[in-house]
Amino acid sequence: MNDLSSVPTPEGEHPPRERKPDWIRVKAPVSKGYHETRKLMRELSLNTVCEEAACPNIGECWTKKHATVMILGDVCTRACAFCNVKTGMPRKVDPLEPEHTAVAAAKMGLEHIVITSVDRDDLPDGGAGQFVKVIKALRRETPETTIEILTPDFRGKMRAAVEAICEAGPDVYNHNLETVPRLYPTIRPGARYYASLRLLEEVKSHDPMIFTKSGIMLGLGEQRLEVHQVMDDMRSADIDFMTMGQYLRPTPRHAKVEDFVTPKAFDAYGSIARAKGFLQVASSPLTRSSYHAGDDFAEMRAAREARLAKAAARAD
């Protein structure tokens, strides 16, 4: 599909916007619930990936009082070609961030919370310690809330970081592969595909009962068989949950959309992933890592219990 934002325009004119198909369009957020969630985030000085990554689902999620908190500031030390988060030298880590995150979860009455972060290659532990503090604060303040974390790859510090976070006991450990290996040099140049797989293997090695999760974006130029291979690689790493969603270009400076993948194609990918043995699969144009995360977690937990019961019955 042609990328209209790359067409030259006369000086002083804005390039035409990339036209999205009907199935990818969403309404602008205007609800009372959206504004209440935004107000609470500002009062507690919390960042959200919903805003920083310009998520298309922000209106729906914030209306339902669901927000993905982004810890360790709003400036990333990496510059991935798909990501809208600012790049540069981050500020000092906010010592109040863990407590503020727990207060937000309690005030919103969250049954399930997703915590992510920017990359912090400037920190000795890559920011792992802040994840640990946030998890502990949530356990103290709102112990019934299940916790899902979406971490960076902790380049060069992975094993110690994963060990510390797993000891804190999140319910779900998510780390996204983002795309197929062939596209890493242009789309995710600061990361390594197999290092990300090893991180998720390390989680399972440390605690097999922590659910693991990973996702990729479609529409960046990947081939169908490459996506199938990523599924196989994820299953080899014993990943429980796979997400697939449409890549949307945040600005003309970012990687262009090579293709808008149809809902029918997403359904087909989802069916193949389920056949490969994932406990849970989310595959649609608007799927994002934390979209419907609470409902998906409940379904994944039920699927594991059913699978374990079936295995026990066979053993008898």
Side-chain angles (χ1 to χ4, degrees):
M1 183 171 291
N2 291 333
D3 177 21
L4 298 179
S5 62
S6 64
V7 177
T9 58
E11 187 175 352
E13 292 185 16
H14 294 290
R17 283 189 171 184
E18 183 177 73
R19 183 169 175 80
K20 299 180 178 70
D22 292 339
W23 64 77
I24 206 76
R25 296 176 192 174
V26 293
K27 293 180 180 179
V30 294
S31 72
K32 179 183 176 183
Y34 166 83
H35 290 292
E36 288 175 348
T37 301
R38 188 176 187 279
K39 183 171 181 283
L40 179 61
M41 295 299 115
R42 297 295 81 78
E43 287 174 352
L44 293 170
S45 301
L46 293 173
N47 300 299
T48 70
V49 77
C50 321
E51 297 168 286
E52 299 300 331
C55 180
N57 303 316
I58 189 171
E60 177 186 345
C61 293
W62 282 26
T63 296
K64 296 177 180 178
K65 301 292 182 72
H66 296 166
T68 299
V69 176
M70 189 173 77
I71 64 173
L72 294 164
D74 63 352
V75 179
C76 187
T77 53
R78 309 266 180 99
C80 295
F82 62 87
C83 184
N84 199 42
V85 176
K86 297 190 291 287
T87 300
M89 180 51 67
R91 293 186 290 271
K92 289 183 178 180
V93 176
D94 180 2
L96 298 177
E97 198 172 54
E99 194 60 38
H100 285 174
T101 300
V103 168
K107 285 189 174 183
M108 295 168 74
L110 296 184
E111 295 180 2
H112 186 83
I113 188 171
V114 183
I115 307 296
T116 189
S117 80
V118 291
D119 278 284
R120 290 297 301 262
D121 297 313
D122 60 310
L123 298 176
D125 68 349
Q130 191 77 336
F131 273 99
V132 170
K133 290 175 183 175
V134 169
I135 293 168
K136 289 181 176 178
L138 286 164
R139 295 296 188 212
R140 286 194 306 270
E141 186 75 27
T142 175
E144 298 303 313
T145 302
T146 50
I147 301 171
E148 178 172 330
I149 58 166
L150 170 55
T151 77
D153 60 8
F154 300 116
R155 186 173 60 196
K157 310 147 184 154
M158 183 267 288
R159 184 160 285 125
V162 167
E163 181 176 350
I165 292 171
C166 287
E167 285 294 328
D171 298 283
V172 183
Y173 196 122
N174 185 1
H175 173 67
N176 286 327
L177 296 181
E178 305 292 11
T179 189
V180 301
R182 177 177 57 84
L183 297 178
Y184 261 56
T186 54
I187 300 302
R188 201 175 176 225
R192 299 294 178 267
Y193 177 81
Y194 290 104
S196 287
L197 278 174
R198 282 198 300 275
L199 182 151
L200 290 158
E201 286 179 323
E202 190 74 20
V203 173
K204 282 294 188 184
S205 175
H206 192 83
D207 186 347
M209 295 309 292
I210 294 177
F211 290 99
T212 50
K213 179 176 176 181
S214 190
I216 61 171
M217 301 169 290
L218 302 183
L220 284 163
E222 68 288 332
Q223 300 298 312
R224 181 172 55 85
L225 292 181
E226 290 179 308
V227 176
H228 294 175
Q229 184 61 56
V230 171
M231 294 177 188
D232 290 337
D233 292 342
M234 286 189 183
R235 289 304 302 131
S236 295
D238 200 20
I239 292 168
D240 298 303
F241 186 174
M242 181 180 189
T243 63
M244 289 172 276
Q246 172 69 51
Y247 166 67
L248 297 175
R249 191 185 205 186
T251 75
R253 299 189 307 275
H254 291 82
K256 69 178 183 177
V257 176
E258 297 291 343
D259 185 35
F260 283 106
V261 180
T262 66
K264 184 177 179 181
F266 271 105
D267 288 344
Y269 277 129
S271 295
I272 291 167
R274 290 182 190 94
K276 289 181 181 292
F278 290 95
L279 282 176
Q280 183 76 352
V281 176
S283 179
S284 75
L286 288 176
T287 290
R288 297 296 182 268
S289 291
S290 54
Y291 189 43
H292 295 163
D295 293 338
D296 286 337
F297 172 71
E299 292 179 14
M300 180 168 57
R301 184 162 54 183
R304 175 194 271 174
E305 290 171 356
R307 187 176 289 184
L308 290 173
K310 189 173 181 180
R314 283 200 304 265
D316 291 341

